[in-house]
Amino acid sequence: MGIGLSNKKLNRRKFLKDDEFYTRYVDIERELANYKELFRDKVVYLNCDHALESNFFKFFYLNFNEFCLRELICTGYCEGGRGSVVVCDRGGGVESLWGVRTRLLSGDGDFSSKECLEYLMRADIVVTNPPFSLLRKFILLMYEYGKDFLVVGNVNIFENVKFFHLFKDGKIQFGFNRVRYFNSRDGGGRSSNSIWLTNLAIKKNVNKLKLKYAYVGNEFRYPKYDNYDAIEVSRTRLIPMGYSGFMGVPISFLTFYTPSQFELIGLDKEVLRGVTDRFYLNNKRLYVRVLIRHRSN
């Protein structure tokens, strides 16, 4: 049974609205500007998106020819009901208008459902903003099916040892921009740890972190942990110059990481080898830390 939305209705009911849902259009537009050639003749799948609400769908729908897409697929979840799917493809040539086919799914449209996995198998690149609570499951599914992806996620995913090593080994990297704001039906909100995550082959100009503080003369700022021979650096901007030993930094440091400047040793729970899972400072258990050290020049 079809949903019954024509191109004209899609434009009227969604594209002329000023309100946006979840990821803002401006953030999608700014990030995707860096990937245009990677999308040429590709099937793009938005598997956590309702077409009438998603700015991801809006962007790719409006830029279908600009990105030279072969096909655009969008599936949306419906709790306790039937999900939906919208498929856009070319009508009669490169410069022609594309057709839009819509229908209800048999199931709820969960991205890991059998129906959605069938769409996943025919996709080249998956682009979406998956629920943060399901982000690990989502990305592991992308690797299981061998799919390229560009998604909005949270840097805290790298608190997990498996994902930390995917990052350390260069199998997943950050995109070009942070995502600092989200919109919702009730307004919007700010996010400090949201970032684009991708396994696409991108090249970025990453500048070394500019360090302002010397270790010598400021030792009091960098106490050693109770249970490990490393100093505590509570903020990335406080990383000291001139210290050759191990340093514990917040997980958000990864967004500033440059391989030529720092060596990633591991997460606290790894180096502590099961004795405990966190560093302690003055008998206080700290939040997850990444152990790093300066690379010798």
Side-chain angles (χ1 to χ4, degrees):
M1 178 179 178
I3 300 175
L5 298 178
S6 66
N7 287 11
K8 187 177 294 185
K9 289 182 179 178
L10 281 169
N11 278 284
R12 182 171 66 249
R13 293 181 57 182
K14 169 57 183 170
F15 295 168
L16 297 182
K17 292 173 64 176
D18 293 327
D19 60 312
E20 298 173 341
F21 188 63
Y22 297 140
T23 308
R24 302 184 308 167
Y25 188 93
V26 64
D27 291 317
I28 297 169
E29 186 176 43
R30 182 165 54 237
E31 182 69 19
L32 267 294
N34 300 285
Y35 301 81
K36 186 180 294 186
E37 291 304 314
L38 297 178
F39 281 79
R40 181 179 294 274
D41 199 36
K42 294 295 192 296
V43 176
V44 174
Y45 183 26
L46 320 174
N47 57 352
C48 296
D49 298 84
H50 287 283
L52 294 181
E53 297 176 331
S54 169
N55 282 316
F56 286 100
F57 182 79
K58 176 180 179 180
F59 176 83
F60 284 111
Y61 181 91
L62 295 178
N63 291 278
F64 193 97
N65 283 335
E66 181 74 16
F67 275 66
C68 299
L69 301 184
R70 179 154 43 99
E71 187 177 46
L72 174 63
I73 307 169
C74 179
T75 54
Y77 173 75
C78 179
E79 184 177 2
R82 295 172 65 182
S84 60
V85 58
V86 178
V87 179
C88 308
D89 55 20
R90 299 192 182 282
V94 174
E95 298 301 327
S96 69
L97 294 176
W98 48 94
V100 177
R101 303 186 302 280
T102 67
R103 68 176 180 87
L104 292 175
L105 297 169
S106 298
D108 60 11
D110 184 294
F111 65 78
S112 62
S113 67
K114 182 179 179 182
E115 280 181 296
C116 291
L117 290 179
E118 289 175 354
Y119 286 113
L120 179 63
M121 284 188 284
R122 85 189 208 200
D124 296 306
I125 306 175
V126 176
V127 187
T128 192
N129 177 6
F132 283 177
S133 62
L134 299 176
L135 184 59
R136 293 178 185 176
K137 175 183 177 181
F138 181 94
I139 292 181
L140 289 176
L141 192 67
M142 297 303 104
Y143 281 112
E144 179 182 348
Y145 281 79
K147 298 301 177 180
D148 289 333
F149 61 84
L150 174 64
V151 300
V152 177
N154 192 292
V155 70
N156 291 332
I157 190 177
F158 298 109
E159 296 174 12
N160 177 278
V161 172
K162 184 170 187 175
F163 282 88
F164 176 82
H165 281 276
L166 285 173
F167 177 83
K168 185 178 179 181
D169 297 339
K171 295 179 179 179
I172 185 171
Q173 60 179 312
F174 298 112
F176 292 85
N177 301 284
R178 290 178 177 268
V179 181
R180 300 188 182 278
Y181 298 93
F182 290 96
N183 288 332
S184 69
R185 289 167 175 162
D186 299 323
R190 183 178 176 87
S191 174
S192 60
N193 290 322
S194 297
I195 200 79
W196 291 92
L197 303 172
T198 187
N199 63 346
L200 288 165
I202 59 174
K203 294 182 179 180
K204 299 185 297 178
N205 295 322
V206 181
N207 297 320
K208 288 186 176 182
L209 192 64
K210 294 182 178 180
L211 305 178
K212 299 179 180 180
Y213 303 95
Y215 178 74
V216 176
N218 291 293
E219 292 89 345
F220 69 95
R221 295 179 181 271
Y222 306 104
K224 287 200 171 184
Y225 297 119
D226 301 343
N227 55 337
Y228 198 81
D229 186 15
I231 61 171
E232 160 70 358
V233 182
S234 59
R235 296 184 180 182
T236 297
R237 66 180 180 85
L238 299 178
I239 293 175
M241 298 177 286
Y243 186 77
S244 60
F246 292 150
M247 300 174 282
V249 294
I251 198 76
S252 57
F253 159 81
L254 296 179
T255 62
F256 299 95
Y257 166 67
T258 52
S260 62
Q261 187 177 16
F262 298 103
E263 179 184 358
L264 290 179
I265 307 301
L267 293 176
D268 45 12
K269 65 181 70 176
E270 293 183 277
V271 301
L272 291 168
R273 301 182 184 279
V275 176
T276 181
D277 65 341
R278 292 287 183 265
F279 293 144
Y280 278 75
L281 189 63
N282 298 324
N283 294 316
K284 181 181 178 181
R285 183 177 184 269
L286 301 181
Y287 192 64
V288 63
R289 291 291 188 263
V290 179
L291 202 65
I292 66 170
R293 65 182 170 192
H294 288 284
R295 288 200 184 276
S296 57
N297 296 324

